[in-house]
């Protein structure tokens, strides 16, 4: 059976799937039904919810739903003194109710780590699984570890465990993790670098280079597990680590099945065959651009690819006061 | 006199100035009067022209102006067999007329090198000065040369000649130039590297790393010379070159006054004091991001800055057939 191969732009289209024209007047019925999620005393939307989600959610009295303006406003009924506490508590109660009633498959009937609402005017968190239903910006940190042999560059690529909820058996970035509430993306890499690839903390702290971030607006897809079509704005902070040939990455927890040291041609081939986790493919493409493997001379969609890898998200990423969780 | 200092995001706002909401329905009268520039047999706009420009331009019979749809369509009256030749000829005749009649200051009553219309379905060119009036995407190539001493990184920064039309005396990228019709951005760097910084061709070909591109939509400003408020979409291809401490950059033509080997702190300070050419400041910011000098931990607008440095242009960058000039 001949397998379909994908271009770099195809891979980006698979990941960055939300329409560009206008978030509230895009073509098609699906998108005209989006609800904006609002926080108290802030006119800016912090998430985009599907009408189906709004309909199914076991709302508490802390939320005001307006079907005319298509908004869900968090308006805590208690503890108005400290919005940080009252909003986090209200969101937590709602998630607990959704767990108890088993309303959504993406929640997996279980609690998950706290994620911040990054553009909020005060620190506020929501559990990871719950935040996907609200279409809030999630953040990940991705480290690409590579080595330069005499003849070429090679990249450390793990295969995900077959037991993971999402993207089982797919290839992935060397080290990656979700950035939790109160954590900086670099600290996430320090933590995950040991857990996932047995990389010593001092090696990470002394040699890793911060290289920017990738941003896109995904729609969660059938390869994931749970509701589909949820709007998933995401920021992936990217880091590089060059290791000498005598240092290796090896699995250290149950999330990674095994590590391969792949040539860039092998990575290209695996990308084309969609063997990578959807958003990790973008990290590889960005790495190839920054290291001169993809160039304006060998890729006709160069400018388009680079712009799409750094989408300006339709939600704020800093507070109105410049505060940043 | 205390000087006003600018943040990185301020510097980007100074450069990427076209509204984001919607190119044809932005706030304010100015933007609602924009004309789209169209090529034959292609529904996609390839430029944005101001109403004042459309009014003043000494149009020939090769152009159809429609004030109702606010479009200027190039529709060559001759040689319909080869659109590449007939369109380039029509644009050339128009520029000649604007030179003869001294219609626009930005044309400087002189011819300039041919620039491509990069998203066109066939090869077509227009002179550099003329293309700014049509609001066509221009392309530049920017090389940052740096060296690592025992203690820190230093960057080679030239000061522009006081005699240049645009941005006299400003600081600039180590090597930069406009990418002409039929030239690749890397070849532009090879050519300009020798002309501007005395960098040998083999050093550039063997050691320069292609690192991506920056994109923004500027409005030409009073520091430039000529009409103001013209819409200026731009792609800057960025390259890095690490040199050993014993190799230096030195001026080789009249465009550069002198070179400085600056610490990153000195570059930061010069950026804040707006001593850099407006778009070259963005090249420095992008370099700082890729080299871990600006990080998510030390810059609250990190995600916003990175998205803004890679704006998806409102004009096509490849042909409908995937052809690329």
């Amino acid at each position: 059976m001949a397998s379909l191969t994908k271009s770099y732009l195809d891979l980006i289209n698979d990941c960055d799937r939300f329409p560009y024209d206008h978030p509230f007047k895009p073509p098609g019925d699906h998108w005209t039904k989006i609800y904006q999620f609002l926080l108290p005393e802030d006119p800016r939307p912090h998430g985009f919810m599907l009408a189906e989600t709004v309909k199914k959610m076991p709302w508490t009295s802390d939320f005001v739903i307006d079907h005319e303006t298509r908004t869900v406003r968090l308006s805590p009924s208690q503890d108005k003194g400290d919005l940080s506490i009252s909003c986090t508590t209200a969101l937590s109660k709602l998630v607990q109710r959704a767990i108890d009633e088993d309303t959504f498959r993406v929640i997996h009937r279980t609690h998950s780590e706290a994620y911040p609402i990054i553009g909020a005017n005060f620190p506020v968190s929501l559990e990871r699984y719950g935040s996907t239903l609200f279409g809030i910006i999630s953040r990940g940190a991705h480290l690409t570890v590579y080595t330069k042999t005499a003849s070429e560059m090679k990249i450390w690529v793990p295969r995900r465990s077959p037991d993971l909820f999402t993207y089982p058996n797919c290839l992935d970035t060397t080290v990656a993790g979700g950035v939790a509430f109160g954590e900086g993306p670099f600290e996430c890499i320090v933590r995950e670098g040991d857990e996932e690839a047995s990389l010593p903390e001092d090696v990470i702290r002394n040699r890793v280079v911060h290289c920017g971030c990738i941003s896109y607006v995904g729609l969660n897809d059938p390869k994931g597990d749970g509701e589909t079509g949820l709007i998933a704005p995401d920021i992936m902070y990217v880091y590089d680590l060059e290791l000498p040939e005598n240092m290796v990455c090896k699995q250290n927890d149950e999330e990674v099945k095994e590590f391969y040291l792949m040539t860039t041609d092998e990575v290209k081939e695996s990308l084309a065959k969609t063997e990578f986790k959807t958003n990790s493919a973008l990290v590889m493409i960005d790495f190839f651009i920054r290291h001169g493997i993809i160039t304006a001379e060998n890729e006709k969609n160069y400018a388009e690819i680079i712009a799409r890898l750094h989408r300006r998200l339709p939600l704020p990423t800093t507070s109105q006061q410049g505060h940043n969780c």
Side-chain angles (χ1 to χ4, degrees), chain A:
Chain A
M1 195 177 77
S3 69
L4 189 71
T5 67
K6 295 206 176 193
S7 71
Y8 296 125
L9 191 55
D10 291 336
L11 293 168
I12 290 168
N13 287 333
D14 286 348
C15 198
D16 181 42
R17 293 172 63 202
F18 192 72
Y20 267 77
D21 287 351
H22 193 296
F24 302 107
K25 287 178 191 165
D29 244 17
H30 191 60
W31 307 116
T32 60
K33 291 183 183 155
I34 289 169
Y35 282 64
Q36 297 185 51
F37 171 60
L38 302 166
L39 292 173
E41 301 169 18
D42 187 347
R44 306 166 305 155
H46 290 280
F48 295 126
M49 304 184 76
L50 300 186
E52 302 93 285
T53 309
V54 174
K55 198 173 169 188
K56 283 176 75 178
M57 186 70 74
W59 297 111
T60 66
S61 60
D62 296 316
F63 296 85
V64 179
I65 322 297
D66 186 331
H67 297 291
E68 193 137 327
T69 59
R70 295 193 175 279
T71 54
V72 172
R73 182 177 288 279
L74 175 48
S75 181
S77 46
Q78 300 186 334
D79 302 313
K80 296 240 177 195
D82 185 334
L83 283 173
S84 188
I85 294 172
S86 60
C87 286
T88 300
T89 306
L91 288 163
S92 173
K93 277 168 58 184
L94 181 69
V95 169
Q96 185 62 56
R97 193 182 275 198
I99 289 173
D100 293 343
E101 301 184 10
D102 195 15
T103 323
F104 299 103
R105 292 195 308 283
V106 289
I107 291 192
H108 303 295
R109 286 194 98 152
T110 180
H111 289 286
S112 48
E113 69 263 53
Y115 268 23
I117 300 177
I118 59 164
N121 288 332
F122 46 85
V124 53
S125 72
L126 174 56
E127 287 181 29
R128 176 179 188 162
Y129 296 154
S131 78
T132 64
L133 294 162
F134 282 84
I136 287 165
I137 296 173
S138 65
R139 297 183 306 161
H142 288 251
L143 171 66
T144 303
V145 181
Y146 65 100
T147 190
K148 282 182 179 161
T149 68
S151 60
E152 62 185 335
M153 170 188 278
K154 290 188 174 185
I155 299 172
W156 285 100
V157 177
R159 185 176 295 285
R160 293 165 67 86
S161 155
D163 304 321
L164 286 173
F165 273 148
T166 54
Y167 304 94
N169 286 310
C170 285
L171 300 178
D172 208 343
T173 320
T174 318
V175 172
V179 182
F181 180 76
E183 183 181 53
F186 185 70
E187 291 308 310
C188 173
I189 285 299
V190 172
R191 175 171 54 77
E192 296 278 354
D194 174 51
E195 285 176 23
E196 293 189 351
S198 318
L199 291 166
E201 178 171 340
D202 68 304
V203 170
I204 295 181
R205 290 203 187 276
N206 297 328
R207 302 197 202 175
V208 163
V209 181
H210 301 239
C211 298
C213 65
I214 293 168
S215 45
Y216 66 94
V217 183
L219 302 177
N220 72 336
D221 75 19
K223 270 197 191 172
D225 175 26
E227 282 70 20
T228 60
L230 299 174
I231 298 155
D234 193 20
I235 298 175
M236 300 189 285
Y237 299 88
V238 293
Y239 302 88
D240 285 354
L241 171 60
E242 182 177 350
L243 283 186
E245 281 188 79
N246 62 353
M247 284 189 70
V248 302
C249 292
K250 56 177 187 290
Q251 59 273 37
N252 192 22
D253 70 8
E254 70 289 353
E255 290 188 25
V256 174
K257 189 178 165 201
E258 59 186 320
F259 269 102
Y260 312 111
L261 186 58
M262 293 171 76
T263 64
T264 56
D265 279 344
E266 287 168 340
V267 172
K268 282 183 193 174
E269 200 175 311
S270 300
L271 284 169
K273 293 199 282 194
T274 64
E275 292 175 0
F276 273 84
K277 178 167 177 271
T278 315
N279 65 355
S280 298
L282 272 50
V283 177
M284 284 293 105
I285 294 169
D286 178 69
F287 181 89
F288 281 176
I289 288 164
R290 290 185 292 99
H291 289 269
I293 295 160
I294 298 175
T295 70
E297 281 73 16
N298 68 25
E299 171 55 58
K300 68 180 189 302
N301 295 310
Y302 192 68
E304 172 75 3
I305 285 170
I306 292 170
R308 294 285 298 282
L309 287 174
H310 304 96
R311 180 171 187 161
R312 191 167 184 237
L313 299 180
L315 299 170
T317 54
T318 47
S319 77
Q320 287 172 301
Q321 296 84 37
H323 152 91
N324 191 307
C325 293

